[in-house]
Amino acid sequence: MRTAIAIDGPAGAGKSTVAKLVARRLGYLYLDTGAMYRAAGLKALRLGVPPGDASRVTGLIASTDVSIAFVDGTQHVLLDGEDVTALIRTPPVSVAASDISAIPAVRLRMVELQRKISSERDVVMDGRDIGTFVLPDASCKIYLSATIEERTRRRCRELEERGAEVVDADAVRRDIEYRDHNDSHRALAPLAKAADATLVDTTGLSVEDVVETILRRVRHCAS
Ligand code: DC
């Protein structure tokens, strides 16, 4: 029986940063599920298909291959065989990922891949619906949150670190609010805290504090 730690929460709550460190400390694989929706969103943008158009996207996804490869423990996402890892962190792709992720055919494809990976390896998986839908039997579930101001600051810092020349904080905040609403109001597997997840508000906490809080919780879940 494989062990899975589910970490869910809205954009900018700090999921990927802490999930990566938790996975390293536990010797587990880290799986960033958002990257899969981002790859699907990128494909729609490239082909000029509106990512919210259910019938066109359902056709598109049937002929799209999204897969994950791990190189020295680091996740790479492949879109029809092309490594698009470096192309999926832009604001337009974030919004397209949120729009396309509401379409059931897309979710079901990605969830199948996520469950397959977790059946083969011990994982720390982050996303929106891991504890509620993808892995309802995960051994430990965490829901990370933070205020909108803090999440906006973190996303701006991340974009700057990735080399963005101008970062418009108001636009970043609007994108996050749009995605929060979109991700938590879709019909299938919306962003939600699982009833048995532990809520961790990361506002004002250091990364190391959050990692330690989660590791304590993981030890408690295992005992
Ligand atoms: O975690 P992220 O910001 O990379 O995710 C991008 C979008 O993908 C997010 O706005 C909603 C969608 N997503 C999802 O619907 N379910 C997941 N498990 C992960 C991401």
Side-chain angles (χ1 to χ4, degrees):
M1 181 66 176
R2 292 292 179 188
T3 304
I5 315 294
I7 302 184
D8 289 303
K15 299 186 299 296
S16 62
T17 306
V18 299
K20 214 176 283 174
L21 292 168
V22 167
R24 192 178 302 159
R25 293 273 291 269
L26 294 171
Y28 290 6
L29 189 73
Y30 164 57
L31 185 70
D32 161 14
T33 63
M36 299 178 185
Y37 296 99
R38 287 173 178 270
L42 176 65
K43 172 129 180 189
L45 290 180
R46 279 177 166 178
L47 295 183
V49 171
D53 183 330
S55 71
R56 290 184 67 191
V57 164
T58 299
L60 179 71
I61 205 72
S63 61
T64 298
D65 181 53
V66 173
S67 60
I68 295 290
F70 294 96
V71 181
D72 297 331
T74 301
Q75 175 176 322
H76 289 250
V77 60
L78 307 183
L79 174 61
D80 298 322
E82 175 193 354
D83 187 343
V84 294
T85 312
L87 307 178
I88 56 172
R89 299 286 157 196
T90 64
V93 174
S94 301
V95 172
S98 177
D99 286 340
I100 211 163
S101 74
I103 296 170
V106 174
R107 297 206 74 74
L108 296 176
R109 276 283 294 284
M110 303 307 169
V111 168
E112 192 184 328
L113 179 57
Q114 292 155 15
R115 287 182 179 151
K116 180 170 183 296
I117 294 171
S118 78
S119 72
E120 293 165 348
R121 306 276 300 265
D122 294 331
V123 290
V124 176
M125 200 180 283
D126 82 17
R128 303 291 187 285
D129 59 337
I130 311 304
T132 53
F133 186 75
V134 181
L135 303 173
D137 298 326
S139 43
C140 196
K141 300 180 187 178
I142 308 290
Y143 188 89
L144 291 186
S145 71
T147 61
I148 182 73
E149 290 77 15
E150 175 103 14
R151 294 190 289 127
T152 303
R153 266 195 302 277
R154 287 180 189 158
R155 213 15 78 91
C156 288
R157 203 178 315 134
E158 188 187 319
L159 289 168
E160 279 157 7
E161 283 167 6
R162 286 183 194 281
E165 283 175 8
V166 188
V167 175
D168 175 348
D170 290 337
V172 169
R173 180 178 174 140
R174 277 195 303 277
D175 276 5
I176 291 179
E177 286 172 335
Y178 173 80
R179 288 206 285 148
D180 283 355
H181 185 271
N182 219 13
D183 297 346
S184 50
H185 287 83
R186 63 176 173 240
L188 177 62
L191 165 67
K193 178 188 166 301
D196 53 350
T198 300
L199 175 67
V200 179
D201 183 346
T202 68
T203 311
L205 294 184
S206 69
V207 168
E208 199 43 44
D209 283 344
V210 179
V211 170
E212 285 303 330
T213 303
I214 294 176
L215 287 172
R216 266 198 306 277
R217 190 66 212 162
V218 168
R219 284 193 288 272
H220 178 84
C221 292
S223 65

